[in-house]
């Protein structure tokens, strides 16, 4: 089971990497970046999981066993990661709108042609 | 045999990501991207991370998808003619190399759900056992986010502010409809 979990993470990572490196459409590239980030978040959540433990919210007063609750630290880090990923997506989209204004397209080959960078 | 729910969800997550990134229709890709995010949120909830699940559903699935739709709406013919992915054999080689590296690295990973895993050692038991008493938060994730790692969260707020400012600075000329020259 755990190999399957990690394989799914790896598959998402590779999908994102492929989109980021080899897709000509900049919008797709941004989506691929999001998928890549999601694969990392997924990985951290899997590392935090404990068999038979409950989510890290205490139900009542009294002493607490560390083994009875899922590790809250990766969850806290991933909250930050998700917020930052939404922020970068926003800035990326703003840049895309600007690029589209300038070149009339979001396809990398056409943009390269118009800038003479190809 | 009925496969466990998390295996089914993971297959769906990977399938919707593949459909969003590799599919033909860019508008369908947007919607599939939203589907992908919501499925991720469901998986996080299943793995016992309700806070991450809420955040993903609100920010990753809803807000990011709305951003994408708004960006497309502002510039309708944005998607343009389809180009095949470049790279060909080279891209395959890169992916194989990256996959092999991941596979090699994954051999050292702990079994998922292992309570003795390195991630569950060191500082984490302290957060769980003393968190409520030291921070006053029944939700331990809240305790870590706003108390133990409050500076991280402050940094996150700065990132959000910077991103908002960057969007404000980048977009207006585009929204005002001034056509800029490509030169």
């Amino acid at each position: 089971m755990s190999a399957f979990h990690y394989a799914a993470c790896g598959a998402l990572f590779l999908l994102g990497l492929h989109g980021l490196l080899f897709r000509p459409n900049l919008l797709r590239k941004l989506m691929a970046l999001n998928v890549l980030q999601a694969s990392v978040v997924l990985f951290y959540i899997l590392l935090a999981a404990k068999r038979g433990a409950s989510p890290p919210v205490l139900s009542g007063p009294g002493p607490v066993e560390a083994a009875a609750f899922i590790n809250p630290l990766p969850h806290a880090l991933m909250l930050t990661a998700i917020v930052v990923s939404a922020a970068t997506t926003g800035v990326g989209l703003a840049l895309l709108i600007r690029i589209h204004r300038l070149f009339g397209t979001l396809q990398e080959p056409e943009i390269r042609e118009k800038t003479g960078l190809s | 045999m009925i496969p466990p729910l998390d295996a089914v969800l993971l297959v769906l997550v990977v399938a919707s990501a593949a459909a969003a990134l590799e599919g033909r229709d860019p508008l369908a890709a947007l919607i599939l991207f939203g589907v992908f995010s919501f499925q991720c949120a469901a998986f996080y909830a299943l793995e016992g991370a309700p806070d991450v699940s809420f955040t993903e559903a609100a920010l990753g699935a809803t807000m990011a998808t709305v951003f994408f739709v708004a960006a497309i709406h502002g510039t309708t013919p944005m998607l343009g003619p389809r180009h095949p992915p470049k790279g060909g054999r080279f891209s395959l080689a890169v992916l194989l190399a990256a996959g092999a590296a991941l596979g090699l690295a994954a051999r050292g990973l702990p079994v998922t759900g292992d309570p003795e895993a390195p991630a569950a050692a060191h500082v984490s038991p302290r957060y769980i056992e003393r968190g409520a008493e030291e921070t006053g938060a029944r939700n331990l994730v809240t305790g870590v986010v706003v108390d133990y790692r409050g500076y991280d969260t402050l940094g996150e707020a700065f990132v959000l502010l910077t991103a908002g400012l960057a969007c404000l600075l980048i977009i207006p000329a585009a929204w005002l409809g001034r056509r800029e020259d490509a030169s």
Side-chain angles (χ1 to χ4, degrees):
Chain A
M1 198 63 218
S2 100
F4 181 76
H5 282 150
Y6 290 134
C9 276
L12 278 183
F13 187 89
L14 291 180
L15 269 174
L17 193 69
H18 176 259
L20 204 54
L21 290 179
F22 300 113
R23 280 277 152 195
N25 186 329
L26 295 180
L27 197 77
R28 286 281 172 109
K29 271 190 200 288
L30 204 55
M31 256 182 230
L33 182 68
N34 269 290
V35 170
L36 202 108
Q37 285 165 330
S39 83
V40 175
V41 175
L42 209 67
F43 179 66
Y44 269 70
I45 296 298
L46 287 174
L47 283 187
K50 285 182 197 166
R51 224 176 297 106
S54 55
V57 182
L58 306 184
S59 45
V64 182
E65 272 293 315
F69 291 95
I70 292 169
N71 188 356
L73 183 55
H75 294 185
L77 299 180
M78 287 311 102
L79 285 186
T80 310
I82 290 174
V83 173
V84 169
S85 115
T88 50
T89 305
V91 175
L93 282 170
L95 286 172
L96 288 196
I97 291 173
R98 195 65 182 256
I99 289 172
H100 188 262
R101 282 274 158 186
L102 271 170
F103 298 106
T105 176
L106 281 182
Q107 305 288 342
E108 211 179 80
E110 291 166 27
I111 294 173
R112 276 168 184 271
E113 253 170 49
K114 286 184 186 173
T115 51
L117 279 177
S118 57
Chain B
M1 189 190 104
I2 301 169
L5 188 55
D6 60 343
V8 176
L9 255 180
L10 270 185
V11 170
L12 283 176
V13 164
V14 176
S16 57
L21 293 183
E22 309 293 329
R24 234 159 230 299
D25 183 359
L27 286 174
L30 272 187
I31 304 306
L32 280 166
F33 176 73
V35 170
F36 161 76
S37 281
F38 271 119
Q39 283 169 347
C40 280
F43 184 76
Y44 302 153
L46 206 66
E47 290 294 314
D51 305 82
V52 185
S53 176
F54 290 154
T55 315
E56 174 72 29
L59 287 180
T62 311
M63 210 176 86
T65 308
V66 169
F67 280 177
F68 272 112
V69 171
I72 287 212
H73 178 72
T75 43
T76 317
M78 190 177 236
L79 302 161
R82 182 183 162 79
H83 290 268
K86 43 191 180 158
R89 209 172 273 169
F90 173 65
S91 78
L92 199 67
V94 169
L95 284 190
L96 280 179
L102 286 179
L104 275 180
R107 298 198 317 172
L109 287 172
V111 177
T112 50
D114 181 10
E116 308 280 309
H122 307 293
V123 77
S124 157
R126 156 77 179 249
Y127 287 162
I128 297 173
E129 281 162 9
R130 308 272 309 274
E133 156 197 351
E134 285 179 346
T135 67
R138 309 297 304 171
N139 184 340
L140 297 169
V141 177
T142 310
V144 174
V145 167
V146 300
D147 201 310
Y148 288 119
R149 290 182 179 254
Y151 282 118
D152 279 6
T153 309
L154 183 66
E156 178 191 333
F158 280 134
V159 168
L160 272 183
L161 176 72
T162 315
L165 284 178
C167 286
L168 278 182
L169 290 173
I170 293 166
I171 289 184
W175 273 158
L176 292 174
R178 245 185 301 143
R179 180 88 195 179
E180 292 158 77
D181 265 10
S183 56

